[in-house]
Amino acid sequence: MPVHFKEPKEMKEEPMEDVTNEDESSGSSDESMDGENANEGQEEAQVYLPGQALQKDEELAVDKSAYRLLHHAQSGAPCLSFDVIPDDLGNARESYPLSMYIVAGTQAARTHVNNLLVMKMSNLHGIKQRSDDSESESSDSEDEDDENGEVKPIMNVAPIKHQGCINRVRCTKIGEAILAASWSELGRVNIWNLQEQLSAVENPGLLAAYRNKCDKASAAIKPLYAFKGHLSEGFGLDWSRTEPGTLASGDCKGNIHIWRVDNSGASWHVDQRPYNSHAPHSVEDLQWSPNEKNVLASCSVDKSIKIWDTRASPQNACMLTASGAHTADVNVISWNPKESQFIVSGGDDGMLCVWDMRQFGPNGASPVAIFKQHTAPVTTVEWHPAEATVFASGGADDQIAQWDLSVEADDTEEPQDSVLAKLPPQLLFIHQGQSDIKELHWHPQCPGTMISTAHSGFNIFRTISV
């Protein structure tokens, strides 16, 4: 069984280096916190296995040797949705320190203090894997680096004031422009041009001037485009991967609208006729096909997954339906970018189901694989951008799991531990330490690197398993 990681939900000693944004309303930036050494003076650590009962006063702690990268970040108000912003720093980046950009949406306690946050996280150093012989010398060197501030991560944040909590945010690139779509709890979908904010996070002077401007009520930044035609708030939101500027949005009344950008690139035509086969049940997630520009997948509280052909009229566009895909609400889906016949779904029943689209038919479909590792609703799932058999999932059980469908059970070796024997061989790694996990994404330009958000903040990490 590959390595698992263990860490407390609320740690007394912080084992990660932190980047922190302390101002909930303005998204102020550039704060950082030193990491602390964990496990000092403790007894020899034992490997924790999922489902294993903890003794009284026993606490989980991170095993840094299981990670290549591990950082924690705070954004003030929780950001329950985010997306990775594509950048020009190159692909397949595996040399540390790393820099990356994300856009996130807050869910603050007060509606009028919510923000869309454009973040640059930089100076993200990897974890030095040490041999026992050089541990003392390496530790001294790391302590010296910490004192000099050389390994402290940095987060620059440029906020955009947003009306209402942000249910979901997704970004795309059209030409040279980086755009973000945000779903507001007030029932509106907005599109934002992020160029000014991306320029600001690159330069301290520009960022200070930008913040000063944002503090003035008269200087509120307006969206590039806004759609108020949904009948309620929603969560489903996805940009097409094959047709730049095309967007799908789905609401809690079961209506899906398709957006198409006009030639100016600054306005959209939104079809007022909804795709509504899920109605009146909420559309929880949407995913465009990775290789067919007119094909869209949706999942719903009605426990189904549907496949749509947007060339057809809305009343005839639903081509395939997997009814009863889960025993409860289907919360999230992800379309495999490398093997487009596969979709993975996660539901309130805690199950993960892998579907082969070639088996969808008029009588429904059965999943080709089912995993019941999560003990609470699955809230996020995503295929690896480059490895066709690898995906990750996260849920309300405060766990993120990494999976590899290519791994098969070794019948020649019987696990000695009864807990280990119950684990599926496809389970590579379990990451913990966040409270109420909401969303995760693989970074498409930094192989194996993941970012996740929860009520307790962001984690940026890469395990030794992927």
Side-chain angles (χ1 to χ4, degrees):
M1 184 70 188
V3 176
H4 287 272
F5 145 71
K6 53 182 183 175
E7 180 184 346
K9 291 164 66 176
E10 293 183 5
M11 291 172 290
K12 295 179 180 178
E13 292 186 290
E14 178 58 72
M16 309 179 226
E17 297 156 348
D18 285 296
V19 284
T20 303
N21 168 32
E22 296 176 346
D23 190 333
E24 173 179 307
S25 61
S26 68
S28 62
S29 62
D30 305 323
E31 296 89 1
S32 63
M33 295 175 60
D34 293 330
E36 299 176 8
N37 294 324
N39 304 326
E40 289 185 0
Q42 297 181 5
E43 296 179 3
E44 183 178 352
Q46 297 179 354
V47 175
Y48 171 78
L49 295 174
Q52 179 180 334
L54 295 177
Q55 302 298 321
K56 185 179 180 181
D57 299 328
E58 191 174 21
E59 191 176 61
L60 297 179
V62 65
D63 179 2
K64 282 190 174 182
S65 66
Y67 290 85
R68 301 185 191 185
L69 178 80
L70 182 58
H71 292 278
H72 177 73
Q74 291 287 345
S75 57
C79 292
L80 304 187
S81 181
F82 75 99
D83 205 3
V84 178
I85 298 176
D87 59 53
D88 298 323
L89 302 180
N91 295 320
R93 306 199 298 267
E94 297 192 68
S95 298
Y96 300 112
L98 292 174
S99 293
M100 58 187 65
Y101 303 80
I102 67 171
V103 57
T106 67
Q107 289 226 345
R110 293 174 294 169
T111 298
H112 66 282
V113 296
N114 279 285
N115 289 281
L116 196 67
L117 303 177
V118 177
M119 305 181 184
K120 179 185 179 181
M121 299 178 182
S122 57
N123 212 31
L124 301 173
H125 282 264
I127 293 175
K128 297 180 181 178
Q129 304 295 340
R130 301 189 293 258
S131 65
D132 292 339
D133 294 338
S134 63
E135 182 173 350
S136 177
E137 181 179 346
S138 298
S139 179
D140 292 341
S141 175
E142 286 186 348
D143 289 343
E144 183 178 344
D145 286 343
D146 282 336
E147 291 175 2
N148 294 333
E150 295 177 3
V151 298
K152 291 181 180 180
I154 300 169
M155 183 166 71
N156 294 340
V157 182
I160 302 172
K161 291 182 179 179
H162 191 276
Q163 291 297 315
C165 295
I166 298 169
N167 294 343
R168 192 154 293 171
V169 59
R170 293 290 181 262
C171 74
T172 190
K173 188 173 185 178
I174 303 180
E176 296 302 314
I178 301 294
L179 306 181
S182 63
W183 238 128
S184 169
E185 65 170 345
L186 302 179
R188 296 193 292 267
V189 180
N190 298 317
I191 295 180
W192 310 84
N193 188 325
L194 304 184
Q195 190 55 54
E196 182 180 8
Q197 293 74 29
L198 287 169
S199 297
V201 297
E202 294 292 348
N203 183 291
L206 288 178
L207 186 56
Y210 175 83
R211 286 186 198 152
N212 289 334
K213 183 183 79 170
C214 290
D215 287 339
K216 300 176 182 177
S218 60
I221 297 171
K222 298 185 182 301
L224 192 63
Y225 187 83
F227 178 60
K228 302 178 182 179
H230 278 284
L231 300 179
S232 70
E233 66 175 316
F235 296 89
L237 195 65
D238 196 38
W239 291 99
S240 171
R241 299 164 179 76
T242 58
E243 193 171 43
T246 297
L247 179 72
S249 56
D251 63 36
C252 293
K253 296 290 187 181
N255 296 311
I256 300 170
H257 289 276
I258 306 300
W259 309 40
R260 300 192 188 278
V261 68
D262 66 11
N263 293 331
S264 71
S267 186
W268 278 259
H269 170 72
V270 184
D271 194 335
Q272 300 295 323
R273 303 170 300 164
Y275 296 70
N276 60 3
S277 290
H278 286 297
H281 303 283
S282 174
V283 175
E284 296 294 278
D285 201 7
L286 295 170
Q287 284 269 291
W288 287 99
S289 166
N291 57 5
E292 295 185 64
K293 69 178 183 179
N294 298 302
V295 179
L296 178 71
S298 63
C299 66
S300 170
V301 168
D302 65 9
K303 307 176 187 177
S304 75
I305 298 172
K306 294 180 181 288
I307 307 299
W308 310 79
D309 187 338
T310 59
R311 291 169 294 187
S313 61
Q315 63 268 27
N316 300 315
C318 181
M319 299 298 173
L320 300 170
T321 298
S323 299
H326 287 255
T327 59
D329 303 0
V330 188
N331 295 327
V332 284
I333 51 176
S334 179
W335 208 316
N336 193 314
K338 293 297 182 181
E339 298 289 345
S340 60
Q341 68 269 33
F342 294 113
I343 284 179
V344 61
S345 62
D348 264 358
D349 52 11
M351 291 198 301
L352 294 162
C353 297
V354 180
W355 306 86
D356 187 337
M357 304 296 298
R358 296 169 297 185
Q359 297 183 11
F360 273 49
N363 298 321
S366 298
V368 296
I370 299 175
F371 300 105
K372 184 64 174 73
Q373 180 62 34
H374 289 283
T375 58
V378 175
T379 56
T380 180
V381 66
E382 188 171 276
W383 289 100
H384 191 286
E387 301 290 339
T389 61
V390 175
F391 69 92
S393 61
D397 57 357
D398 305 333
Q399 296 187 18
I400 289 175
Q402 293 179 340
W403 305 83
D404 188 346
L405 300 181
S406 67
V407 178
E408 297 181 357
D410 187 351
D411 297 331
T412 63
E413 294 186 11
E414 289 293 331
Q416 299 298 315
D417 192 294
S418 60
V419 176
L420 185 60
K422 296 178 182 178
L423 296 175
Q426 294 83 6
L427 180 62
L428 294 182
F429 199 98
I430 290 181
H431 171 85
Q432 293 177 260
Q434 290 177 284
S435 176
D436 198 6
I437 295 162
K438 291 299 183 183
E439 197 164 281
L440 65 82
H441 295 294
W442 300 91
H443 197 295
Q445 295 172 265
C446 302
T449 300
M450 295 183 64
I451 309 168
S452 58
T453 188
H455 271 287
S456 55
F458 289 90
N459 275 190
I460 306 95
F461 63 96
R462 183 181 183 183
T463 73
I464 61 173
S465 296
V466 179

